[in-house]
Amino acid sequence: MANKFQRLIRFEDTEGRVLYGEAPSSEELAGQEVPVYSGHDPWNLEATETVAKVAKVLCPLLRVPIIYGIGLNYKTHILEAGFPTPKHPTVFTKPPDALNGPFEDVRVHPDCTNMDYEGELAVIIGEDCKNTTSSENALNHVLGYAVANDVSSRYWQLPEISGQQHGYAKSFDGFAPLGPVIVSPTVLSDVDHLTLVTKVNGEERQRARLDVLLFSVGDLIVHLSRGTTLRAGTVILTGTPGGVAAFMKPPAWLRDGHTVEVSISNIGTIKNRMIFEDARQ
C-alpha cells in the first residue's frame, strides 16, 4: 500500500491539539517542530503546509481492532523456555484496551504478579486483508513498523492457572506499549537487518537481530489472515528473543517503579515505568 508518510508521529502540540506529523529521524521527538498531516487514521492522511511543535508523544494508533501476539518466534526464547520448536505460529490476542503509549506508565493490578517484559517488533496492518497466500504479497498490506513491549504477568500464565493459554496474562489494560512512531515500509523495506534491545533500569536484558525470526512478517500475515479478515489498524507483535525475566536465575521480575526501555534500530525507543497499584514494593 502507498503511504503518505515515512515516520509517522501522533502527538499533542503546545496548544493541546492532537495531531499526526512527519517525525524526524532523531531519537529526541519532544520539542521538535514537525510537518502536520490532516486525517484521523494513519492509513488515510494528507500532507498540509502546517507545522506544529511536539509537546508530548502519544501512541501512534488512537485505537486498534485487535492485537495479535506471537509466542516462541525466536530460537533463543524457545531454548530458554524449553519448548519444542513450533511448526506453526503460536498465536494469542490482546484486547484493544491493552494498547498504551510509548512513554506512558504501565499500571499493574494487585493480582498481577511475576511481572515480565517482552521487547518486540510490532507490525501494523494498513488495509483489510483476508486469505493472503503469499508471504511476499502479504507485505503489501503493511502500514508500517513500531516498537512494542508485550507486558506479561507470568503468574496468570502458569499452566495450572491459565489452562495452557497465553492471552489472559497479557491482556490487562495498558499491557501493550507501542511507538514512538510508525515507520513506513518504504523506509524499512527489509526488517531483517534491524536490532532489538531491551533494558530494565538501564541494564541490558535482551539483544537480537530480527533476521533470526522463526516466522517472518509475511509468514505471520499469511497465517493470521487464513479465513480471517485482518482489519486496518490490526497490530501483530512478532515475538520476543531470549532474556526475559522469567528464565533468569533467579527470575528478575519487574518491580514497582522499574523502567523498561525497548529500542529497535532505525525505528526508535519506547520507555515505560511500571506502577504497581498495591502497596509500593
Side-chain angles (χ1 to χ4, degrees):
M1 61 178 298
N3 288 336
K4 300 292 178 65
F5 66 87
Q6 292 188 322
R7 297 175 56 85
L8 185 66
I9 182 175
R10 180 170 165 266
F11 65 99
E12 183 178 306
D13 73 358
T14 53
E15 297 179 12
R17 299 175 299 175
V18 175
L19 304 167
Y20 282 107
E22 181 64 39
S25 58
S26 62
E27 279 282 320
E28 188 57 48
L29 299 173
Q32 297 274 8
E33 194 170 77
V34 302
V36 170
Y37 292 107
S38 65
H40 301 289
D41 296 310
W43 49 89
N44 189 22
L45 299 174
E46 294 293 337
T48 73
E49 296 182 359
T50 305
V51 296
K53 182 173 288 188
V54 178
K56 182 180 181 180
V57 181
L58 305 175
C59 181
L61 294 169
L62 174 61
R63 64 183 72 87
V64 294
I66 193 170
I67 301 168
Y68 285 101
I70 305 298
L72 305 176
N73 204 21
Y74 285 80
K75 292 180 180 179
T76 52
H77 188 46
I78 296 169
L79 288 171
E80 71 177 1
F83 293 126
T85 301
K87 295 181 180 179
H88 304 284
T90 301
V91 181
F92 58 91
T93 61
K94 296 165 84 92
D97 284 341
L99 190 68
N100 204 349
F103 305 112
E104 299 295 330
D105 292 340
V106 176
R107 306 200 70 85
V108 180
H109 188 275
D111 292 341
C112 293
T113 57
N114 295 1
M115 291 300 302
D116 210 343
Y117 50 85
E118 294 191 2
E120 310 208 7
L121 171 73
V123 179
I124 297 95
I125 299 297
E127 58 185 13
D128 294 358
C129 63
K130 182 179 180 179
N131 291 329
T132 305
T133 57
S134 161
S135 295
E136 182 178 353
N137 290 339
L139 298 179
N140 294 331
H141 302 291
V142 174
L143 175 75
Y145 303 95
V147 183
N149 181 3
D150 176 20
V151 182
S152 307
S153 170
R154 301 299 187 193
Y155 170 79
W156 292 109
Q157 205 173 338
L158 291 170
E160 62 272 23
I161 293 173
S162 68
Q164 304 286 351
Q165 300 297 310
H166 291 76
Y168 186 73
K170 300 163 173 284
S171 290
F172 297 91
D173 287 358
F175 272 31
L178 183 144
V181 296
I182 298 174
V183 180
S184 171
T186 59
V187 177
L188 292 177
S189 58
D190 182 3
V191 299
D192 285 356
H193 66 284
L194 304 182
T195 299
L196 180 150
V197 178
T198 304
K199 297 179 181 179
V200 176
N201 296 335
E203 175 193 359
E204 186 173 306
R205 298 282 185 88
Q206 296 179 294
R207 177 178 288 270
R209 278 178 55 97
L210 301 187
D211 58 359
V212 298
L213 285 173
L214 183 62
F215 301 102
S216 70
V217 171
D219 294 337
L220 295 176
I221 295 172
V222 168
H223 183 72
L224 292 171
S225 70
R226 182 181 295 110
T228 303
T229 302
L230 301 183
R231 298 293 181 191
T234 293
V235 172
I236 303 170
L237 306 182
T238 56
T240 199
V244 299
F247 299 113
M248 297 179 72
K249 300 185 184 301
W253 305 122
L254 298 175
R255 302 294 182 187
D256 181 59
H258 281 191
T259 297
V260 180
E261 183 177 323
V262 185
S263 302
I264 298 180
S265 54
N266 297 334
I267 299 180
T269 300
I270 65 173
K271 190 173 184 178
N272 304 92
R273 183 178 57 161
M274 303 292 136
I275 301 296
F276 285 37
E277 295 180 329
D278 56 344
R280 304 296 286 261
Q281 51 179 295

